[in-house]
Amino acid sequence: MIRHSCQLALALAAVACASTTTTWEMNSFQDFLKGRFSNVSLSRDGRLSLASRVETFCSSDPPEIWSVAKAPDGALYLGTGHKGRVYRVDPKGRGSLVWTSEQPEVFAVAVDSKGVLYAATSPDGRIYRIVNGNATEFSNPGVRYVWALAFAGDDLFVGTGDQGKVLRVTPDGMAEVFFESGQQNITSLAVDSEGRLLAGSDPNGILYRITAKNKAFVLYDANLPEIRSILPTGDGTVYVAALGGSTAKRTANVYGTANSAGATVYTVPSTSVTVTDSSVQSGPDLKQPKADSARPAAQSAVSSTVTPVIATVDVAGVERSAIYKIRSDNTVETMWSSKEENIYDIAPLDNRLMFSTDVQGRIYRLATDRKATLIAQTGEGEALRLVNTPDGLLAATGNMGRLYRLTNGAAADGYYEAPVHDANTVARWGRLSWRAELPSGSKVAFRTRSGNSARPDSTWSDWSDPMTTPGGSAIKSPNARYLQWRAEFASTNGAAPIIDSVSAAYAPQNTPPSVRSINVSTVQKAGTITAAASPSAPRTSGSSGSRA
């Protein structure tokens, strides 16, 4: 008689042994870039350090500062949205309302050689001359949008949409078409060291050099849709910021389309609109005008319905913005590009290039070796314009219309907040360790907090007591799924502490095993045939005919 024996094997998806320790480490530029910065900079090789202090220079009531122009006396003029206001800010940061347009957007302002202010309105593109708060219509060129203004001698050049023309307006207000690009919009203008006009377009991202009426040369045809900012230098080099990916973000609120009835509907934000208030506000804030009134009846044809009409398409892995360097021999070099951030403006500072983006209103410094350093984060939705002043670089922001100033010299203190880390399950926190350089007179301290919601809120633990031992300190935050740490920098003598890397050890909670499958096999003694049984196969019988 043949004897049979059965052996049962269980395949387990998870093993009930103790889970191993896991480490969350941050040590590169891309790692740290995902966090939040306050008076802390990030070098391209991934080092955190104290940066120039960022302070609020002036606040405005409107949410967007679209344009900035410098006057000969050092004052700045701000063109804002979505209430069509123009402000003046003196060198001490005191602001006053200069003029309120009947149109919701002032995308461009310019000052001539005599200090006279000009402002362009949209979506009914007109240009106004403003003297002592009194505005008179300087030119009505019959365009929908005015995106840019630039003076070359006594002539005012105008970048328009939606027919992509460059206009020249003479001192008596007479306008003529200077160049037709065939593009939808002329989005930026500048004048180079030889007095030639440079114009950037949308939606094909073309940079033109215009030397005479209807005579232009394409300096560069970018792969990105919009030439956002142009910076010519004295040696003939031209730096260009090109915008892509979320190109429509800046202008989605003001483009118009024809509805089924044939009327043009402008998608401007729904806001109350004010008439000019000549009262002057002192101090750093630009206050709300004293009284509001309705638009004149002539404006009733413009709808204030918020209906986005331009789709924004982001394609993963595709560049959203770039900076190009166009040399005097017309050769081109890509200085910087990003797949995550939109660049809005560029400006020179101390022989280096500064640029601003839409991620938390960041400001970067670009060195000649093409390495970028994040030097400031304003915390606003976007940093739209950069302006050099004797007291430091100014950044004009959107979402909250403010002017921020980067002061000269490093801040005495600052902090960096890491992005939230997801352990995927409740974790037992171990030790927090870091590598840092601490010159005499400087120090860093770390705090942690934890919670079970993806974003820190009132349900999270409070920040822990400070940890100052670089070799490792036990994390005191409660066991939870999510963890965040914060580094606090301080210096008493100008020597800046530097952080190279930070790591947090933790053990994820054990999970019970789960049975995925059962395999049954029959084993017979040596010299006999071995057969395997599975749920889909019939059982085998021995030679005597008995059932196995």
Side-chain angles (χ1 to χ4, degrees), residues 275-358:
V275 296
T276 303
D277 189 329
S278 59
S279 60
V280 175
Q281 305 291 342
S282 61
D285 294 336
L286 299 177
K287 305 296 184 181
Q288 183 79 10
K290 293 181 179 179
D292 283 358
S293 63
R295 295 273 189 202
Q299 288 302 115
S300 61
V302 179
S303 168
S304 60
T305 304
V306 181
T307 308
V309 297
I310 293 183
T312 297
V313 178
D314 288 326
V315 180
V318 176
E319 286 183 357
R320 294 180 67 180
S321 59
I323 297 175
Y324 305 109
K325 178 181 180 181
I326 305 171
R327 301 181 181 89
S328 57
D329 62 359
N330 296 342
T331 57
V332 181
E333 177 184 2
T334 300
M335 300 293 292
W336 178 89
S337 65
S338 174
K339 298 176 182 178
E340 292 83 26
E341 302 183 54
N342 277 316
I343 183 171
Y344 281 114
D345 204 8
I346 51 179
L349 183 66
D350 299 332
N351 297 320
R352 296 182 181 181
L353 197 65
M354 314 295 290
F355 64 95
S356 60
T357 75
D358 63 346

Side-chain angles (χ1 to χ4, degrees), residues 90 104 128 143 221 285 327 345-346 364 437 448 451 498 503:
D90 71 15
Y128 293 85
V143 298
D221 187 350
D285 294 336
R327 301 181 181 89
D345 204 8
I346 51 179
Y364 291 86
E437 297 177 12
T448 63
I498 297 173
S503 61

Side-chain angles (χ1 to χ4, degrees), residues 125 143-147 159-165 183-186:
V143 298
R144 181 175 292 182
Y145 307 110
V146 175
W147 301 119
T160 72
D162 55 354
Q163 298 178 12
K165 298 177 181 178
Q183 296 284 294
Q184 184 174 358
N185 300 286
I186 295 297

